[in-house]
Amino acid sequence: MNSHQIDIVRLAWARDLGLPDSNFRPASGLPADYRPASGLPDNSRPASGLTADRTLLVDDTARRVRFVVLDGHAVLVGPSDVLERADGVPADVLVTRDGLADVVGPRRGRCSGPVVLAYLDDVRTDVGAQNPLLSHSRRDAERVLSTTPPDDAVAARAADATTWVTVFDDSAGEADAVPVSAAGYVEWQGFLADTVAVTVPSHRRRGYGKTSARLATNDAIDSGLIPQLRVAMDDAGARLFGRSLGFTELGVAIAMDLPAPG
């Protein structure tokens, strides 16, 4: 990833979190609600790249606490009491469910994440399967989702992709071809392409997943977007798959709902 692409990623997340277009870093002229937090000592920074540079955005009407670390910068959004309890808590603690729950306190609700944020910089030519049989129909993508484990299918549908690439296994002939892998994306914040890829279990590790994902990400880049992959931090297989496609892990995101009082 070059510096310009990273700035675009920061800008997209800044807008999503309600920050000014400040490239996801503390800057002069921010509103009074933005307060820099004290940092971690160098020897406490984890290998994942979580760092000390932190901006706090006070929102006492927030229904979620959100913490995002991206390329050496972090933003914590939530009510003032939560942000006060988070003061001095290291980033590598806040990006865990237990760590975030501790600072949220008794109002804690459902937790989303932590997810690793990874990005792809350019079109790649290693498509995988040669001359694959393809479809761009949502219906064919749904056929793949119907034969994948429920957790995979739910996550893929939650991504709400608007563009799909489905790859078929036509080894028995085109007339008997079946859809076995689907990858899709949706434009996010005008700059990024939230990307998802799923493959039916019986056809994994045979190149179908890489083919559908590569074609989908190439399409996103050709459309002027930067592919973004959100993968559960503890999903080693999915993270390895992303790296095999050329994705670079730049950050981590986690959020916790705040149920209404009473």
Side-chain angles (χ1 to χ4, degrees), residues 26-256:
S28 60
L30 292 179
D33 283 346
Y34 293 86
R35 294 180 284 128
S38 59
L40 296 173
D42 287 342
N43 61 8
S44 70
R45 295 177 182 175
S48 59
L50 301 180
T51 61
D53 200 358
R54 189 183 304 178
T55 297
L56 306 183
L57 173 54
V58 177
D59 183 357
D60 286 322
T61 66
R63 296 274 73 89
R64 282 197 305 164
V65 174
R66 303 179 67 190
F67 185 57
V68 180
V69 183
L70 188 62
D71 190 44
H73 303 276
V75 175
L76 179 62
V77 182
S80 55
D81 62 317
V82 174
L83 271 56
E84 289 170 4
R85 288 194 293 272
D87 188 33
V89 178
D92 58 331
V93 174
L94 284 178
V95 296
T96 66
R97 291 176 178 239
D98 289 344
L100 188 60
D102 284 344
V103 300
V104 169
R107 289 181 59 195
R108 68 184 67 123
R110 185 179 65 89
C111 185
S112 303
V115 295
V116 173
L117 306 174
Y119 302 89
L120 189 61
D121 58 355
D122 204 356
V123 167
R124 306 294 175 96
T125 58
D126 55 334
V127 175
Q130 298 299 314
N131 301 314
L133 181 62
L134 305 174
S135 167
H136 295 279
S137 166
R138 172 70 188 233
R139 181 181 62 184
D140 288 324
E142 285 289 344
R143 291 172 64 189
V144 174
L145 297 179
S146 69
T147 54
T148 56
D151 287 350
D152 292 348
V154 168
R157 290 190 177 98
D160 200 25
T162 55
T163 300
W164 286 95
V165 176
T166 300
V167 176
F168 287 71
D169 176 2
D170 60 350
S171 58
E174 187 169 332
D176 296 314
V178 292
V180 295
S181 183
Y185 68 88
V186 61
E187 182 179 314
W188 189 77
Q189 294 298 327
F191 302 107
L192 308 183
D194 252 337
T195 305
V196 65
V198 289
T199 303
V200 300
S202 61
H203 284 69
R204 291 176 180 173
R205 300 187 179 184
R206 294 169 58 182
Y208 292 104
K210 184 173 184 177
T211 299
S212 64
R214 176 64 72 222
L215 292 172
T217 55
N218 281 355
D219 184 85
I221 293 169
D222 287 341
S223 299
L225 303 172
I226 297 175
Q228 172 175 261
L229 191 63
R230 310 191 202 201
V231 179
M233 184 181 285
D234 60 359
D235 190 340
R239 292 177 68 178
L240 285 172
F241 177 68
R243 291 169 189 166
S244 75
L245 291 167
F247 278 86
T248 299
E249 296 183 353
L250 289 182
V252 183
I254 190 170
M256 183 165 288

